[in-house]
Amino acid sequence: MCRKVIEAKDGGRDTLEVWGDGTQCRSFMYIDDCVLGIDKIMHCNELIATPINLGTSEMISINELASLAEKIGGVKLKRKYILDAPKGVGRTQQRQHDDQEHPELGAQHPDQ
């Protein structure tokens, strides 16, 4: 999304293409937190061959992400929603991170 905003601004375009309706949600995290989480998972014998969702509990919609990227980029773009494009998991089916599922990883909560 950030790349799309930059390309639109640099290219003098006023439209931002959004796959889906923009209500689908995602969880984002800082790369340092991601690397730390991967390291903990890799060094935890109890989790061998166990599926893990590494993320945060804070969800942001694609529309919210687009607005944030526009604000940072100092531009306001018209949204062109591509409703037949792949959109992944929507609000009603969002994947939710649950750090209580694997307490052995020592989940950290910076806001607490």
Side-chain angles (χ1 to χ4, degrees):
M1 187 60 56
C2 298
R3 177 189 53 82
K4 287 182 175 185
V5 170
I6 292 167
E7 287 176 350
K9 183 177 179 179
D10 288 349
R13 294 185 300 277
D14 66 349
T15 304
L16 178 64
E17 186 176 284
V18 177
W19 286 14
D21 63 4
T23 62
Q24 59 274 29
C25 292
R26 300 290 181 270
S27 143
F28 297 93
M29 63 190 312
Y30 291 104
I31 189 65
D32 290 347
D33 295 336
C34 183
V35 170
L36 178 62
I38 290 170
D39 184 60
K40 285 184 176 189
I41 291 167
M42 295 295 293
H43 290 94
C44 184
N45 291 333
E46 292 85 9
L47 297 177
I48 293 175
T50 302
I52 299 287
N53 282 332
L54 179 61
T56 69
S57 58
E58 182 180 351
M59 302 298 285
I60 182 171
S61 75
I62 298 302
N63 279 328
E64 291 169 321
L65 178 62
S67 294
L68 180 60
E70 289 171 332
K71 181 179 177 181
I72 292 169
V75 65
K76 182 66 177 159
L77 304 167
K78 295 178 205 160
R79 309 269 167 89
K80 178 182 178 186
Y81 295 100
I82 312 298
L83 299 178
D84 58 348
K87 59 185 174 222
V89 181
R91 278 196 191 276
T92 59
Q93 303 171 340
Q94 54 187 273
R95 284 169 265 181
Q96 192 68 32
H97 168 73
D98 181 7
D99 57 24
Q100 301 305 314
E101 189 172 335
H102 298 288
E104 62 273 22
L105 293 177
Q108 297 178 1
H109 302 276
D111 57 339
Q112 292 181 353

